[in-house]
Each structure stands twice: as structure tokens, then as C-alpha cells.
Amino acid sequence: EILAAITALLAPAARPLAGRHALVTSGPTHEPIDPVRYIANRSSGKQGHAIAAALAALGARVTLVSGPVAQPDPPGVTVVRIETAREMLAACEGALPADIAVMAAAVADWRVAREAGQKLKKEPGAEAPSLMMTLNPDILATLSHHAQRPGLVVGFAAETEKVVEHAIAKRRRKGCDWIVANDVSGTVMGGDANTVHLITAAGVEDWPELPKGAVAERLAARIAAALA
Amino acid sequence: EILAAITALLAPAARPLAGRHALVTSGPTHEPIDPVRYIANRSSGKQGHAIAAALAALGARVTLVSGPVAQPDPPGVTVVRIETAREMLAACEGALPADIAVMAAAVADWRVAREAGQKLKKEPGAEAPSLMMTLNPDILATLSHHAQRPGLVVGFAAETEKVVEHAIAKRRRKGCDWIVANDVSGTVMGGDANTVHLITAAGVEDWPELPKGAVAERLAARIAAALA
């Protein structure tokens, strides 16, 4: 950290995001079914936390809104911990204004329509229940159309098939600027490497397989270049 | 560990479970909805892992079947990692014969009836789905009526209301010997303390609030006394 501070003093050009505020989301959301059960997503938070750290390393002030993860807080980053998609949206809106938003969290699309106040009991002989789901707020679309819309809004698309095709459609539908798309049908979830495609208005870039830290640094550098 | 070995040599009476095999389950199960979503229980594994460690400290050979947790492996314990209730049952049956079974895991009562091979898509304008659930195998009841039934089968009951009443009924229904019942309506899940009731054929013991490690030691000592 001391070394980073000295480097920054000697080479201000290495902090191209100084004075910028970046909002990053990371990790899964947990949507309660009852006091002891919940629906979750397989997201370790590794990629989102690495992006927060990479943006901070380029000089940005970073607010990281994170679901429940085992990742340590990136140094120098303000971390806001939440559980549900609704809490994540509220924390994101509370963090505005921001120049950059990178929505890397795996937000649950749905939550249970009626959360039970008591633990659901398995009654002997009874049928298993059906869980009626309802739509969660769409955080990426909400920020993309917000009165305080960040200048650059980056979404993520985790897909198990037709990765690029789905991501191009998602970029248009959500109204965000870029989509980072990846194929999660393999061992990406929880793993240390990631193969992503960057979808922008200009087209599709296929990045090579990289450690998640390197994906984060490359994305942060692209963001700095776009805002320069 | 060296100290423990010396203590054991000097005081064999401190290892009353030497020569016994104990099977312990711990943690939650994760029941997949699709490749990226799952249903989980709020279980940190702290209590189950502490019980495995306490039984090993009394000389037992311990097999710990654990769902996904952030707890370190207890030293000297054989750990089998699983995700789903069906995998947990298979691992438990594979660990038999055992003299003792302590089923401390928070096993999902239900799983999704049909796991999707591809990520469920949120279609624009479409209704949220309903998840049809189906019953998971009952691991506690299965072991309690198993051809290789352990001599002492201990179940857990995590309740949010009528704790002792539900636990007494559960003991009869499952066919186990003891039930450790606790009220999880507060901060027990993930916390370090636990207030439990031990339900046996002889009646109900109300234990004071104790650190989870002390609950584990007291339970292990009770088990050793019961098998002496």
C-alpha cells in the first residue's frame, strides 16, 4: 500500500481514474424462502472483487456492493454487504452518482413470491410444495435508465449456451454500454480463470482465457481508456 | 497434536471412544435448480464440525460427511464433501458400519423436481416460474432403520417455534435415539453459541447457552457415557 502510494506520487499517469467514482457489484444474492432456506447463485465473487481492486489500483474511488462471499475486502475499497437483489438495488442507488458502474454480481432473477415467517414443515405424507416465484428488480436495466445514470454502465452475462448471441441481445435490452459475457457451463464458477467476450456498440471482442485478476486489469484499463 | 498424543498415552481413560467409528454430518446441502442456481440452507457447519472434532478428541475414528462450508477440516477426521442430500445419503451409507451417527447437517427436505440442464432464461414479459419440488431422501430415518443401523443414532432438529414439542415428535417419527433440538429463530445460524435441548427416551434436558465447541464436548461426553 505504501509502495502503491509512492508509485502514484511518482507517476500520476498510472492513476487515470483518479477523481472518478466506480460502483461495482459482486457475488451472488440470497433470496429467502423461509428463515432457514434460500435460493442462491453459484458466484464466488472472485471476478467482481478483482474488478473493484483493479479500478481502485487505477485511482478510482470504488464502492463495492457485494452479496455473501468468502472473498476478503479489496484494500482501499468501500464495501457494502447485502443479501437480496432488492437490497443490492437500494445500495447501488444509494451509491450514486458514479462515473462507472460494473455490475458483476450474479443477481437472482426471481425471488419467492411470499417468504414464510416460520420454517416450512415437512408434514408426514404431505406432497412437496411448489415455490411460486416473482420477478426481482432488474438492477442493470434500472441503472442504465436512471436519472443519475453513470457515464459508462457495464453488465455481465453468464450463459451456458449461445453466449455471444444472448449477450448482444442483453446489451440492447438492458440499455447498458458494454456486456462482459462468459460461458459458465464449465468450471468458471468458483474457479480462478475466465474466458470472456466484451460486447460493445462497436462489436464483439473475444478475449483469451485469463486469470480473473488479469480479466479485471484488462477491463479496468479499457474503462480508463474509454473515459480518457 | 503432539500434546494430545502424549496425553492419550498417559491417560487412556481420556479416550473412551477408542476403537469406535463415528459418522457425523455437517453443513447445508445445495440442491441445484439449474447450472447456476440452487436452493440452500443457512448452516455454517460450525456445530457439526465441532462435534466431529470432539468425538475424535475422545478417541473415536470419525467420518465427517459435509456439505459446502467455509469451516476448516477438523484434524484427524476423514472428511467426505458432498453437495446434495442424495449425495449425503450415499456417503453416509458408504461409511457404515458405524457405532455412532450424529446427523447435524441441515439437509434440504426438498429438491427441485426437474433440474434444468441449461440456465433458466428470464424471458422479457414472461411470468416468473414456479419451482415444483419433490421430497429428498430422509437420511436420519434411513439410518435409523438401516440393516447396519449404528448403535446410537442422534438427530438434530432446527426449529423456529414449539422447539421441544416438534423435537419429541421428530424423535418418534424418525426412529432415532436422541434429538438435539435448537431454536434457530435468533442468531444461532452462523453464530458461535447455541442453546439446545437433548431429547432422549428418558425425557428432555435443557442445556444452558454454550459456545458451539462446548455443546460439542458435552454431547461427545454424553455419547461416550452411553456407550461405556
Side-chain angles (χ1 to χ4, degrees):
Chain A
E1 223 170 329
I2 292 168
L3 184 63
I6 293 169
T7 309
L9 285 170
L10 296 178
R15 292 169 60 82
L17 293 175
R20 304 286 195 173
H21 180 212
L23 168 64
V24 179
T25 65
S26 184
T29 64
H30 286 182
E31 307 294 332
I33 297 171
D34 66 19
V36 299
R37 299 180 179 95
Y38 60 93
I39 296 177
N41 296 308
R42 292 185 197 281
S43 169
S44 64
K46 284 180 187 171
Q47 187 63 78
H49 277 55
I51 291 166
L55 290 167
L58 295 188
R61 176 169 70 85
V62 178
T63 303
L64 173 63
V65 179
S66 177
V69 296
Q71 300 301 311
D73 291 353
V77 165
T78 301
V79 181
V80 182
R81 287 184 191 72
I82 54 79
E83 282 226 338
T84 69
R86 285 166 293 172
E87 291 165 359
M88 182 170 276
L89 176 59
C92 286
E93 292 192 290
L96 297 178
D99 304 288
I100 303 152
V102 182
M103 308 281 95
V107 182
D109 290 321
W110 306 290
R111 66 178 183 274
V112 176
R114 284 191 306 177
E115 182 188 343
Q118 299 293 342
K119 183 182 174 186
L120 299 174
K121 304 292 294 176
K122 181 173 73 167
E123 303 296 347
E127 298 264 315
S130 289
L131 293 182
M132 302 293 292
M133 310 289 276
T134 191
L135 268 178
N136 262 331
D138 188 326
I139 298 173
L140 179 58
T142 302
L143 289 190
S144 295
H145 297 95
H146 204 278
Q148 291 183 287
R149 185 192 195 280
L152 182 67
V153 178
V154 183
F156 270 67
E159 305 286 351
T160 55
E161 51 179 351
K162 300 181 192 166
V163 175
V164 168
E165 183 185 328
H166 280 153
I168 290 171
K170 182 172 184 174
R171 181 181 164 276
R172 289 210 195 91
R173 198 167 68 242
K174 304 290 186 182
C176 60
D177 299 296
W178 299 352
I179 289 272
V180 179
N182 60 355
D183 186 334
V184 294
S185 60
T187 57
V188 172
M189 293 295 204
D192 292 316
N194 210 352
T195 308
V196 308
H197 312 270
L198 182 67
I199 319 290
T200 71
V204 178
E205 293 173 26
D206 300 318
W207 292 9
E209 179 174 291
L210 292 168
K212 287 181 176 175
V215 170
E217 286 165 18
R218 191 162 166 166
L219 182 65
R222 279 295 305 262
I223 289 170
L227 297 189
Chain B
E1 224 170 328
I2 292 168
L3 185 63
I6 294 169
T7 309
L9 285 171
L10 296 178
R15 294 170 59 82
L17 293 176
R20 304 285 195 172
H21 179 213
L23 168 64
V24 179
T25 66
S26 184
T29 65
H30 285 182
E31 307 294 332
I33 297 171
D34 67 18
V36 299
R37 300 180 178 96
Y38 61 94
I39 296 177
N41 296 308
R42 292 185 197 282
S43 170
S44 64
K46 284 180 185 169
Q47 187 63 80
H49 277 55
I51 291 166
L55 291 167
L58 296 187
R61 177 169 70 85
V62 179
T63 303
L64 174 62
V65 178
S66 178
V69 296
Q71 301 299 311
D73 290 355
V77 165
T78 301
V79 180
V80 182
R81 288 185 191 72
I82 55 79
E83 283 224 337
T84 69
R86 286 167 293 172
E87 291 165 358
M88 182 170 276
L89 176 60
C92 286
E93 292 192 289
L96 297 178
D99 304 288
I100 303 152
V102 182
M103 307 282 97
V107 182
D109 290 322
W110 305 291
R111 66 178 184 274
V112 176
R114 285 191 305 176
E115 181 187 342
Q118 299 293 343
K119 182 181 175 186
L120 300 174
K121 301 294 294 176
K122 182 172 73 167
E123 302 297 347
E127 299 263 314
S130 289
L131 293 182
M132 303 292 293
M133 311 288 276
T134 190
L135 268 177
N136 262 330
D138 188 324
I139 298 172
L140 179 57
T142 302
L143 288 190
S144 295
H145 297 95
H146 203 277
Q148 291 183 288
R149 185 192 196 277
L152 181 67
V153 178
V154 183
F156 271 66
E159 305 287 350
T160 55
E161 52 180 350
K162 300 181 191 165
V163 176
V164 168
E165 183 186 327
H166 281 152
I168 290 171
K170 182 170 184 173
R171 181 180 164 277
R172 290 210 193 91
R173 198 167 68 240
K174 304 290 187 182
C176 61
D177 300 297
W178 299 352
I179 289 273
V180 179
N182 61 354
D183 185 335
V184 295
S185 59
T187 56
V188 171
M189 292 296 201
D192 292 317
N194 209 352
T195 308
V196 308
H197 312 270
L198 181 67
I199 319 289
T200 71
V204 180
E205 292 172 28
D206 301 317
W207 291 9
E209 179 175 291
L210 292 168
K212 287 181 177 176
V215 169
E217 286 166 16
R218 190 162 167 167
L219 182 65
R222 279 294 306 263
I223 289 169
L227 296 190

